[in-house]
Each structure stands twice: as C-alpha cells, then as structure tokens.
Amino acid sequence: MEDVQNHTPAIALNIDRVGIRRLKSPLLVRDRKDGKQQTVAQIDMGVDLPSAFKGTHMSRFVEELEAWNDEISYQSMRRLLENIKKCLGAQRAYVHFCFPYFIRKSAPASGSSSFVPYECRLTGELDEERQSFLLDVDVPVMTVCPCSKAISHEGAHSQRAIVRMSIRMTGFSWIEEFIEIAEKSGSSAVYTLLKREDEKFVTEHAFANPRFVEDVVRNVAQRLSAHEHVAWFRVEVESIESIHSHNAFASIERTCK
Amino acid sequence: MEDVQNHTPAIALNIDRVGIRRLKSPLLVRDRKDGKQQTVAQIDMGVDLPSAFKGTHMSRFVEELEAWNDEISYQSMRRLLENIKKCLGAQRAYVHFCFPYFIRKSAPASGSSSFVPYECRLTGELDEERQSFLLDVDVPVMTVCPCSKAISHEGAHSQRAIVRMSIRMTGFSWIEEFIEIAEKSGSSAVYTLLKREDEKFVTEHAFANPRFVEDVVRNVAQRLSAHEHVAWFRVEVESIESIHSHNAFASIERTCK
Amino acid sequence: MEDVQNHTPAIALNIDRVGIRRLKSPLLVRDRKDGKQQTVAQIDMGVDLPSAFKGTHMSRFVEELEAWNDEISYQSMRRLLENIKKCLGAQRAYVHFCFPYFIRKSAPASGSSSFVPYECRLTGELDEERQSFLLDVDVPVMTVCPCSKAISHEGAHSQRAIVRMSIRMTGFSWIEEFIEIAEKSGSSAVYTLLKREDEKFVTEHAFANPRFVEDVVRNVAQRLSAHEHVAWFRVEVESIESIHSHNAFASIERTCK
Amino acid sequence: MEDVQNHTPAIALNIDRVGIRRLKSPLLVRDRKDGKQQTVAQIDMGVDLPSAFKGTHMSRFVEELEAWNDEISYQSMRRLLENIKKCLGAQRAYVHFCFPYFIRKSAPASGSSSFVPYECRLTGELDEERQSFLLDVDVPVMTVCPCSKAISHEGAHSQRAIVRMSIRMTGFSWIEEFIEIAEKSGSSAVYTLLKREDEKFVTEHAFANPRFVEDVVRNVAQRLSAHEHVAWFRVEVESIESIHSHNAFASIERTCK
C-alpha cells in the first residue's frame, strides 16, 4: 500500500510539532503514601517533521504509548520519549499528560479523612541533547480579603482560589511537596470532608490569615524559590471573587538556579 | 439533483427532533432600559420528522433564521417557529437561544455604574395547538454561610453562587424582573465595579444576611410563586464553596397556576 | 456547638433536592472482560429536605461515600442510596456518577488493540417505594453523508458524531452491550489505533454505509427497543459536521415495556 | 478608610502581572465590510506590581474599561493601555479581548449568504518603551485525508479542523485577510448555509484537494510568511479526526522580519 506520508510535500517547510491530542487513557502515577495510584489521563504526543516528508505516522504514537504501559516518572517518560523519537525517526519528541491526582487528607480538628483531587500535568520534551520535564499542579485554596476585613465592621468576603504552579525541576520531588506549599500559602487549605468543629477551625484560621491573590502568589513564589529542586517556576493565583462575577489573578515567573 | 432526504428510510420510525445545534449568530434582545441590546447567541433549531422521510433539510433552518433577522420576543419567536414548521413541513418546531445579557448596575454606596453580564436562554416550541416559551436566567450572587458564622469566633466563609431559574410565563415580563428576584434572595448581589465604600457595604450587608443554598432557593421560589406571570418554575442554586473544592446545590420545581 | 441546619427556616417550603456536586473521586467499575476497572468519577449526591429544617448536613454525603467505597453496580448503588436516606433522615436520595470507561478494542484488519474511552453516567434515585437506575453512555462513531455521496462525482463529507444514550433497565446489562449497539449503528465505529490496512477498511466500510444523523438515531432506537432489558431510552446523535462550523442532531425517546 | 493595598507586603517580591480576568462586556470591533460590528468579549486586564505594595487597585481596571468605551483598534488599545498604566501607577499594562467575530459569506455555487463565526483574541501589552499587539484567529476548515484517499477503493475520511493563528503585525491588516489565508489552506472552507448544489461543490472541491494537518499548517505558514505586515506567527491546525475519538495536530512558529 502507498505510503503517502513519505511523499515529498508541495511546500518544503519544517514542522515544529505534529502528533495526536486529547487521547484519553488509564494512567499509573507514583504516590508518596501508597506507592502508586491508578488514574485517568488526557494525553498529547508529538514530534518534529523535516521539510522532506509530507506527513508523520500518527498510529505510531498510540503504539508506543501501548508498548510503554508504565508508571509515570522522570525515567519512564524519558524511555517513552526515546522510543517515540526512534520509532518516528524524529529529532525531537514531546509528551503531555493531564490527570487528576488524589490525596487522602485529614480534617484539621476532627481528623476525619477523605480524598482531595488535584489537577496535574506532566510535560516532557527530548531533543538531541537534553530532556526537559515540567510539572504543573492546580491547588484550590481559600482566600479571605484583607481589605474587606479591614474596612468592614463585621466579616470579610472570602472565596475559592486556584493556585496554578508550573515547575521545572533539577531532581526528584513528590507532587505532594508542591501541593503543601500552595496550601500553606492561602488563607486556608480546602477539604472534601469537614465536620462542624473543622468548619469552625477553617473559618477562624482563614480569618486570622487574610490574603490577597498578591499575597498568595508571593508566598508560593518565596517557598518555590527556597525549594532545593526547583530550577524555574511560574505561579498564578486566580480567585473566584465572591463579590464579583469576574475573577482576580496574580502571577510570578522566576528562574531560581 | 437527487433529494436523498425525501427517500423512504430503511427503518420507519418517527424522529422526535432533528435539526442543527451550536450555531453562533448575532442577536438583538429587548432591553427594559435602552429598548434593545445587541448580543451574540448560540442557537439550536429542530423539527419532528415522520417515519416516511429519510432526512430533514438542514439548510432551511439557517435560511429561516436569516430571513427572520428580528429582535427576539414571544411574538417574533412565534413567527420564526411558524416559518420553520411551514418551510420544513413539520408538525412541531423548536428553537433555543443562549446568550449573555448585560445590565448597567450602580454600586450600592458610590453609585458607580458598570455592566453586569447574565447568561440567558430562551426556548420556544410550537406544535399543532400551542406554543411553549421558557426563559432561563443564571444570576451570580454572594452567600455567607450561617453555620460558619454561628460557630466561629470571627468571620464566616462566603462564596459566589449561581442562581439558575427556568420560568414558564403566562404573560410578558422583563428578564430584569427575574434577575432582581435572584439578587434579592442571596446574602448580597454581586457587582462588576465596587469602590472601597461599596466593598464595605457589600461585605456588611452580606454578613447581616447569612444564607445557605437552601435559604436562597426558598427565597427565590417564594418570590417566583408570587409573580403574576409565572406559571411554572424550576430554580437551582449552586455555590462554589470556598472551604471545599466541590460545590453545594439546592433545587425546587413548582407549578404555580 | 449550635446546629444551625436544624433551625426552623424563615420560609417553610419543601426542597426537592439538596446536596453536593462536582465532587471528584476514584471509582471502581465492573468490566465485562477484566472483572473490574479503576477509573475517576465526578459525583453529585442529594436528598429532599422538608419545610421544617433550615439546612441539610452536607458533610454526611462525603462520609457515606467514603464508607461505601465499593465497586459500582445496581446493588451497591442501592446500598449507598439507603445509607444516605438513613443518615440524612430523608425520604428520597439521589446519586450521580460521571466517569470515562475504557474498552480494549481490536482494529478491524490488523487486529492491533488499544483502549477506546467512553463517557458514562450512572444515576440512581430511591424514594419510599422504588429505586430508579439510569445509564448514560456517549459513543463516538463516524458518519458519511448519503446526500453528499449521491450528488457528488467523487467523495462525500464524513465526520465524527457522538451517540448519547440514556437507558432505564429492567435487569442487568453490560455497558459494552450498548456501546456495541451504537457502534453498529453509524457508518463506522471509531478506533484509537488504526494501521494503514485498518484505515483502508474503515474508509471503505464507512463509504459503503452512508448515514445521516437521522439514520443513526433510528438504527440505535430500533436496536434498543429490541433489547430485552431496556424499559425506556432516549438517544441523541450529534455530528460535528465537516462542512459547517455548527453541528447536526437527531433524537428519539421511547418507552419500550 | 484604610488603603490596605498600599501597605508594605510581608514578602517583598515584584509581581509580574496582577489584575482581573473573565470579565464579560459588550465590544465594538472594526469590520471591513460594514465599518463596525457589535459583539461580546471576555476580557483580562493586568499590570505589574512593585515589591513595595501589598496589592493593586482592582476596581480601576473596570473604571478604565468603562471610560474607554471605544471601538477596538491598535490605536484605541494603546490609549486604554496608557490610561491603565497611569491610573494604576504601573510600569507595564496588559489587556486581552476574546470575542466571536462574524463575517457574511456566500455559498460557493448558489451564492446564498449567511454569517460565519470566528473566535478572535486581541492582546496588547505596553511597557516603558514599546507596545506589543497580538491577533489570534481560529478558523474552522474541512480536511480530506490524502492517505485514506490514496489507499481506499472509494472515499476518504474527512473532518472539521481548526486553524489557530497567532500573529504579530508591523502594520494594520484586517482580520478578514487572515481568515481568507486559513480558508484557502484547507481542503475546503466551511459555511453556515449550503444548498444542495453548494454541498456538491464543497465535497468535490475538498476531495480534489486532500490535505493532512501537516499540509494545512505548511500552506498557512507559507502565506503568513509572504504577508507584508506579519512580523511573527504561530499557526496550529487541530483536526477532529472522524476515524478516531482523539485529534491530530501540527504547528509551526516563525519570525518573518
């Protein structure tokens, strides 16, 4: 059968990246407490394509993913990227996994435990020389507005806010470490299960620690800068303002080492 | 050219509804203050199809919409539904418009004005005898938790909540009337522009009126029941809980007259 | 500590349903081939609330879900619903699980196998007397347009379409049975992994079976009507038209037994 | 009243960008044919914040937007950015508008006309020295697979694909110019209204011009490179594969002058 992909294209331009996107698949992730965790990912995969070829061979991405069938880690992702490069005859390979990750968390007063979900993304790229590896984690927190608290006779508006961290690492770190950094940086962490004594604790703790999105983003940035394995980060905090129908946001990007 | 749609289908089943969906189009809406308002809609249109025909003629929906080109109202929607029925040779016609609607609102203390957006949906259906007409409006409000307030030494968690109303009417009413009902039913309305004195006002007003989603849904239900033109309603309140990463909701459906 | 939820509300109205929504959680599902499958769900849970009580106890939904911790089935869902009713002191309980389900599928010519994802929803409701149980499955298929094929010298436009089935059952059936019904009803099934000989097979098979959304919805409706355990269904087909930027759809709802 | 925003923050870090997000507003856009077009936008606005200040003044973004109230253009956006910088006391200002833009398009055979919607984004940034201005346009097209066509006895799979262009310009160009570039680069343009003779034309035209996502991205890249006002671009094509439930994509980024 004709291999149309190997034809010479009408326009001889190098393509930066070509591949498949929004592929859903089961995924095994490393878990600090339980060793491993079974979740579900949405996956993008791509390679470069030189100007001499009309098309890439899309089915090979799926074959490599099926053959890989591994727990995700820096090492296993490198193996996948190398296999993709070889199988597709490419100079550069790219994979991106987007998945919810669950951590069992205890309520602050009652100790009742439940799962809290965190959206994570792992992105790997491999060219001739080096592999880049990026971790993204989204962490919901609570923020209490310092301005509203200072000027009002009673109360202060609060809301859910999302801390979105992108982190380039120089060595292995657990996703849990970055989630803890974000949760310590808001007015309070959020929980799935809160009994009445926990709700009292969370409310009082949050009101004792009012934070603008600006305060939260600085808190996270300072802690990420101090982390031994963070080479670069970008953090963004977006709060679902309870007094508006639009959101507030703040972002900081830094190269650490 | 062959009219494949008019062929006899392999399976002789009546189809309840067939048509087009997610069509984006400019739309003119009646505005209580300014007479009319130009917005943008996503539109669904459909008809029934008897078992004798293989397919409907999809392009005619677009033609009827183009020919209609009218300000949306009960009367103009009836005209559109009648034209669709006739042009498609149908027993029943259906249209659904989903659009943001903007109201200029003044801040409660400073009086500063700005646009607040509300998601609306208008759904019309016409069969042999009667037209049904459904209005949906989504209104963001602020809720302060009564439990959190009662048990904490200081503060109470608050959040943005969405009041979603579906209303079947017996006579003309402005969208603005239902928005006002929802905004009066939360702990506070939300605003686009709030100066410092407004933020103080909103915070204090909201903390003086703590409301569960259960309280808000009952408030809205009572007010809709008392409205002279509401024949049936369904109201749902969903709050973006600031202490959780999941939401809380409550809903009531009633036939009024 | 004060139990504000048990207060008498200002407005004495029964609430149809109150609870939590968009809770993410790991979920275990029965799998025809492998026994069970670990996936991830988004969950809604609710109960009715009589006019005498100001609020429900939201944390109990999470406690019941944590205590349940079971593989999902008709029986296990009933257990969960009964526990919720008892724990919340309710007349009616409601749960809704939304999750991707994966099936390993072989390509039609090469036999190469890969995972295909299907969005599923399971909804259970329990009142004084009876439990209702609803299964929803979304199945992507390919459609080739019969009109385009009949009138053109060459080719015919094709596209991905989604078959959305809601099914009320009288006895146990596998999700796989309904997926097969949908996949047989389009111009072709879709696959995750297709080698060149498979792409040839799928293209030729699809072009030999051109189908309007009307044809697909009738095919599925006929097959669901003939299924021994289907008491009621609603099926909707929506095609992502390749010649338009809007979609086409058709739907049929029937009570079978 | 206390101005908490002007306090010294606990952590003295510069914030790259802080502001508001997902604000919905009516918007007036320049239209090549009709002079201007009323649409609806989602807007982000931000500034930098020096380490000496705890918070920015979020309400001023809304005030500046209200005061601006202008048709969007390179010049008017510059005015808005300058006003934001001045009013917020910032070194850098940023605005981002996301909106549907409608063009009346004639069907290729019948000449029947209808609106086709295109998602657009305009992003402006102003620092001490210079303004950057980025236009994004998403254009749906049809692609017919060259491989499927070459290897099958009959037919070829086709699908809707989205061409996403990001363009940095050196001088004024109409959005319409870039839409035309994208529409010429697929197997066929898509239309809202197609009569039977148009469907025949589109099908035959598309099958005479089969294109991989790789072909489309190269076609667009070549045409953008040749455009007199394009200084830099990034183009990405994503096709909603009709034979898979995942998508295919290809992207090229180039600095032109």
Side-chain angles (χ1 to χ4, degrees):
Chain A
M1 241 179 286
E2 203 180 335
D3 188 348
V4 182
Q5 279 81 358
N6 277 337
H7 288 191
T8 304
I11 299 171
L13 277 176
N14 293 324
I15 293 181
D16 298 335
R17 190 175 287 168
V18 52
I20 61 174
R21 187 174 278 182
R22 303 183 211 273
L23 175 68
K24 279 209 164 175
S25 174
L27 182 74
L28 208 54
V29 184
R30 294 179 70 176
D31 181 315
R32 188 170 64 178
K33 186 158 154 290
D34 296 325
K36 49 184 77 180
Q37 176 177 141
Q38 181 69 51
T39 185
V40 161
Q42 192 173 275
I43 305 173
D44 298 352
M45 305 170 83
V47 292
D48 66 303
L49 184 72
S51 60
F53 299 98
K54 182 174 171 72
T56 195
H57 292 87
M58 300 277 187
S59 65
R60 296 184 190 169
F61 292 105
V62 181
E63 286 179 308
E64 288 307 320
L65 185 70
E66 287 281 340
W68 179 60
N69 186 23
D70 205 346
E71 184 187 315
I72 202 167
S73 69
Y74 183 88
Q75 287 74 23
S76 78
M77 216 188 219
R78 168 150 207 132
R79 226 164 20 247
L80 176 58
L81 288 164
E82 278 167 354
N83 293 345
I84 291 171
K85 265 186 66 175
K86 201 157 80 184
C87 172
L88 276 290
Q91 303 294 308
R92 295 190 304 276
Y94 160 89
V95 293
H96 176 75
F97 294 83
C98 175
F99 55 92
Y101 181 71
F102 295 90
I103 297 180
R104 186 155 280 286
K105 213 159 95 180
S106 295
S110 70
S112 313
S113 99
S114 61
F115 278 122
V116 180
Y118 302 92
E119 282 300 314
C120 298
R121 291 172 293 285
L122 281 170
T123 309
E125 228 177 319
L126 185 67
D127 62 17
E128 228 93 335
E129 300 130 52
R130 54 186 216 86
Q131 178 186 359
S132 80
F133 184 80
L134 193 69
L135 167 68
D136 283 58
V137 198
D138 296 351
V139 181
V141 299
M142 180 183 176
T143 59
V144 171
C145 177
C147 169
S148 169
K149 193 185 171 195
I151 62 178
S152 306
H153 286 125
E154 185 198 23
H157 68 86
S158 66
Q159 48 270 318
R160 194 189 301 161
I162 311 297
V163 178
R164 292 188 192 97
M165 295 171 288
S166 292
I167 300 155
R168 209 169 286 284
M169 282 174 276
T170 56
F172 178 77
S173 308
W174 293 103
I175 293 179
E176 285 82 348
E177 300 174 36
F178 300 110
I179 291 174
E180 285 160 15
I181 282 179
E183 295 192 334
K184 273 186 286 191
S185 300
S187 295
S188 170
V190 306
Y191 299 84
T192 298
L193 176 53
L194 292 174
K195 303 302 298 174
R196 214 168 310 148
E197 63 262 44
D198 302 311
E199 187 169 352
K200 175 178 161 63
F201 181 98
V202 166
T203 304
E204 293 173 356
H205 180 82
F207 273 77
N209 295 279
R211 299 271 160 87
F212 288 132
V213 286
E214 292 95 325
D215 295 315
V216 182
V217 83
R218 279 167 167 151
N219 277 344
V220 176
Q222 191 183 48
R223 287 184 168 110
L224 290 177
S225 296
H227 190 288
E228 59 170 336
H229 289 144
V230 175
W232 169 93
F233 69 85
R234 187 179 185 282
V235 56
E236 173 187 287
V237 181
E238 180 169 353
S239 71
I240 308 166
E241 295 291 290
S242 59
I243 59 170
H244 298 301
S245 68
H246 61 264
N247 295 350
F249 79 98
S251 66
I252 293 179
E253 180 183 328
R254 290 290 184 277
T255 301
C256 306
K257 17 192 98 74
Chain B
M1 242 179 286
E2 204 179 334
D3 187 349
V4 183
Q5 279 80 358
N6 277 337
H7 288 191
T8 304
I11 299 170
L13 277 175
N14 293 324
I15 294 180
D16 298 335
R17 191 175 287 169
V18 51
I20 61 175
R21 189 174 275 183
R22 301 181 213 273
L23 175 66
K24 279 209 163 175
S25 175
L27 182 72
L28 208 53
V29 185
R30 293 180 71 178
D31 180 317
R32 189 170 63 179
K33 187 158 154 290
D34 296 326
K36 50 184 77 181
Q37 175 176 141
Q38 181 69 51
T39 185
V40 161
Q42 192 171 274
I43 304 173
D44 297 354
M45 306 170 81
V47 292
D48 66 303
L49 184 73
S51 61
F53 299 98
K54 183 175 171 71
T56 195
H57 293 88
M58 300 278 186
S59 64
R60 295 184 191 169
F61 292 106
V62 181
E63 286 178 307
E64 288 307 319
L65 184 70
E66 288 280 342
W68 178 61
N69 186 26
D70 205 345
E71 185 187 313
I72 203 167
S73 69
Y74 184 87
Q75 287 75 19
S76 77
M77 217 188 218
R78 171 150 205 132
R79 221 158 29 239
L80 176 59
L81 288 164
E82 278 168 354
N83 293 346
I84 292 171
K85 267 186 65 174
K86 201 156 81 182
C87 172
L88 274 294
Q91 303 293 308
R92 294 190 305 278
Y94 161 88
V95 292
H96 176 74
F97 294 83
C98 175
F99 55 93
Y101 181 71
F102 295 90
I103 297 182
R104 185 155 280 285
K105 212 159 96 180
S106 295
S110 70
S112 313
S113 98
S114 62
F115 278 120
V116 181
Y118 302 92
E119 282 299 316
C120 299
R121 293 171 292 285
L122 281 170
T123 309
E125 227 177 320
L126 183 68
D127 63 15
E128 228 93 334
E129 299 130 53
R130 54 187 214 84
Q131 179 187 359
S132 80
F133 185 81
L134 193 70
L135 167 68
D136 283 58
V137 198
D138 296 352
V139 181
V141 299
M142 180 182 176
T143 59
V144 170
C145 177
C147 168
S148 170
K149 193 184 171 194
I151 63 180
S152 305
H153 287 126
E154 184 197 24
H157 68 84
S158 65
Q159 49 270 317
R160 195 191 300 164
I162 311 296
V163 178
R164 293 188 192 96
M165 297 171 287
S166 291
I167 301 156
R168 211 170 285 284
M169 283 172 276
T170 56
F172 179 77
S173 307
W174 292 104
I175 294 179
E176 285 84 347
E177 299 174 36
F178 301 110
I179 291 174
E180 284 159 15
I181 282 178
E183 295 192 335
K184 273 187 286 192
S185 299
S187 295
S188 169
V190 306
Y191 299 84
T192 299
L193 176 53
L194 291 174
K195 302 303 296 174
R196 215 169 307 148
E197 62 262 44
D198 302 311
E199 187 169 352
K200 175 178 162 63
F201 181 97
V202 166
T203 305
E204 293 173 356
H205 181 81
F207 273 76
N209 294 279
R211 301 269 159 87
F212 287 133
V213 286
E214 293 94 326
D215 295 315
V216 183
V217 83
R218 279 168 167 150
N219 277 344
V220 176
Q222 192 184 46
R223 288 185 167 110
L224 289 178
S225 298
H227 190 289
E228 59 170 337
H229 289 142
V230 174
W232 170 93
F233 69 85
R234 187 178 186 284
V235 56
E236 174 187 286
V237 182
E238 180 168 354
S239 72
I240 307 166
E241 295 291 289
S242 58
I243 59 171
H244 298 302
S245 68
H246 61 265
N247 295 350
F249 78 98
S251 65
I252 294 179
E253 180 184 327
R254 290 290 185 276
T255 301
C256 307
K257 24 193 92 75
Chain C
M1 242 178 285
E2 201 180 336
D3 188 348
V4 183
Q5 280 80 358
N6 277 338
H7 288 191
T8 304
I11 299 171
L13 277 176
N14 293 325
I15 293 181
D16 298 335
R17 190 173 289 167
V18 51
I20 61 175
R21 188 174 277 183
R22 302 181 212 274
L23 175 67
K24 278 209 163 175
S25 175
L27 181 73
L28 208 53
V29 184
R30 294 180 69 179
D31 180 317
R32 188 169 64 179
K33 189 159 154 287
D34 297 325
K36 50 183 76 179
Q37 176 177 141
Q38 181 69 51
T39 185
V40 162
Q42 192 172 275
I43 305 174
D44 298 352
M45 305 170 83
V47 292
D48 66 303
L49 184 74
S51 60
F53 299 98
K54 183 174 170 72
T56 195
H57 292 87
M58 300 279 185
S59 65
R60 296 184 189 169
F61 292 106
V62 181
E63 286 178 308
E64 288 308 320
L65 184 70
E66 287 280 341
W68 178 60
N69 186 24
D70 205 346
E71 185 187 313
I72 202 166
S73 69
Y74 183 87
Q75 288 74 21
S76 77
M77 217 188 218
R78 171 153 204 128
R79 225 163 21 245
L80 176 58
L81 287 164
E82 278 167 355
N83 293 346
I84 291 171
K85 266 185 64 175
K86 201 157 79 184
C87 172
L88 275 291
Q91 303 294 309
R92 294 190 305 277
Y94 161 89
V95 293
H96 176 75
F97 294 84
C98 175
F99 55 92
Y101 181 71
F102 294 90
I103 298 181
R104 185 155 280 286
K105 211 158 97 180
S106 295
S110 70
S112 313
S113 98
S114 61
F115 278 121
V116 181
Y118 302 92
E119 282 301 315
C120 298
R121 292 171 293 283
L122 281 170
T123 309
E125 228 178 319
L126 184 69
D127 62 17
E128 230 91 336
E129 300 131 52
R130 54 185 216 86
Q131 178 186 2
S132 80
F133 185 80
L134 193 70
L135 167 67
D136 283 58
V137 198
D138 296 351
V139 181
V141 299
M142 180 183 176
T143 58
V144 170
C145 177
C147 168
S148 169
K149 192 184 172 195
I151 63 179
S152 306
H153 286 125
E154 186 198 21
H157 68 85
S158 64
Q159 49 270 316
R160 195 190 299 162
I162 312 297
V163 178
R164 293 189 192 96
M165 296 171 288
S166 291
I167 299 156
R168 210 170 286 284
M169 282 173 277
T170 55
F172 178 78
S173 308
W174 292 103
I175 294 178
E176 285 83 347
E177 299 174 38
F178 301 110
I179 291 173
E180 285 159 14
I181 283 178
E183 295 192 333
K184 272 187 287 190
S185 299
S187 295
S188 170
V190 305
Y191 300 83
T192 298
L193 177 53
L194 291 173
K195 303 301 298 174
R196 215 168 309 148
E197 61 263 42
D198 302 310
E199 186 169 352
K200 174 178 162 62
F201 181 96
V202 166
T203 305
E204 293 173 355
H205 181 81
F207 273 77
N209 295 280
R211 299 269 160 86
F212 288 132
V213 286
E214 293 94 325
D215 295 313
V216 182
V217 84
R218 279 168 168 149
N219 277 345
V220 176
Q222 192 183 48
R223 288 185 167 109
L224 289 177
S225 297
H227 190 287
E228 59 170 335
H229 289 144
V230 175
W232 170 93
F233 69 85
R234 187 178 186 284
V235 57
E236 174 187 286
V237 182
E238 180 169 353
S239 72
I240 307 166
E241 295 290 289
S242 58
I243 59 170
H244 298 301
S245 68
H246 60 265
N247 295 351
F249 78 99
S251 66
I252 293 179
E253 181 184 326
R254 289 288 185 278
T255 302
C256 306
K257 21 190 97 72
Chain D
M1 241 179 285
E2 203 180 334
D3 188 348
V4 182
Q5 280 81 358
N6 277 338
H7 288 191
T8 304
I11 299 170
L13 276 177
N14 294 324
I15 294 181
D16 297 335
R17 191 175 287 169
V18 51
I20 62 174
R21 189 175 276 182
R22 302 184 212 272
L23 174 67
K24 278 208 166 177
S25 174
L27 182 72
L28 207 54
V29 185
R30 293 179 71 178
D31 180 316
R32 189 170 64 180
K33 189 160 152 285
D34 296 325
K36 49 184 78 180
Q37 177 176 139
Q38 181 70 51
T39 185
V40 161
Q42 193 172 273
I43 305 174
D44 298 353
M45 305 169 83
V47 291
D48 64 304
L49 184 73
S51 60
F53 300 98
K54 183 174 170 70
T56 195
H57 292 89
M58 299 279 187
S59 64
R60 296 185 190 169
F61 292 107
V62 182
E63 286 179 306
E64 288 308 319
L65 186 69
E66 287 281 342
W68 178 61
N69 186 26
D70 205 346
E71 185 186 313
I72 202 167
S73 68
Y74 184 88
Q75 287 75 21
S76 77
M77 216 187 219
R78 171 151 205 131
R79 228 165 15 247
L80 176 58
L81 288 164
E82 279 167 355
N83 293 345
I84 291 171
K85 267 186 64 174
K86 202 157 80 182
C87 172
L88 274 292
Q91 303 293 308
R92 294 190 305 277
Y94 161 88
V95 293
H96 177 73
F97 294 83
C98 176
F99 55 92
Y101 181 71
F102 294 91
I103 298 181
R104 186 155 279 286
K105 212 159 95 180
S106 295
S110 70
S112 313
S113 99
S114 61
F115 278 121
V116 180
Y118 302 92
E119 283 299 315
C120 299
R121 292 171 293 284
L122 281 171
T123 309
E125 228 178 319
L126 184 68
D127 62 17
E128 228 92 337
E129 299 131 52
R130 54 187 214 83
Q131 179 186 359
S132 80
F133 184 80
L134 193 70
L135 166 68
D136 282 58
V137 198
D138 295 352
V139 180
V141 299
M142 180 184 178
T143 59
V144 171
C145 178
C147 168
S148 170
K149 193 185 172 195
I151 63 180
S152 307
H153 286 126
E154 185 197 21
H157 68 84
S158 64
Q159 49 269 318
R160 194 190 300 163
I162 311 297
V163 178
R164 293 189 192 96
M165 296 171 286
S166 292
I167 299 156
R168 211 171 284 284
M169 282 174 276
T170 55
F172 178 78
S173 308
W174 292 103
I175 294 178
E176 284 84 346
E177 300 175 36
F178 301 110
I179 292 174
E180 284 160 14
I181 283 178
E183 296 192 334
K184 273 186 286 191
S185 300
S187 294
S188 170
V190 305
Y191 299 83
T192 298
L193 176 53
L194 292 173
K195 303 301 297 173
R196 215 169 307 147
E197 63 262 44
D198 303 310
E199 187 169 353
K200 176 178 161 62
F201 181 97
V202 166
T203 305
E204 294 174 354
H205 181 82
F207 273 76
N209 294 279
R211 300 270 159 87
F212 288 133
V213 286
E214 293 94 325
D215 295 314
V216 182
V217 83
R218 279 167 167 152
N219 277 343
V220 175
Q222 192 183 47
R223 287 184 168 111
L224 289 178
S225 297
H227 190 288
E228 59 170 336
H229 289 144
V230 175
W232 169 93
F233 68 86
R234 187 179 186 282
V235 56
E236 174 187 285
V237 182
E238 180 168 354
S239 72
I240 307 165
E241 294 291 290
S242 58
I243 59 171
H244 299 300
S245 69
H246 60 264
N247 295 350
F249 78 98
S251 65
I252 293 179
E253 181 185 327
R254 289 289 185 278
T255 300
C256 305
K257 21 191 96 75

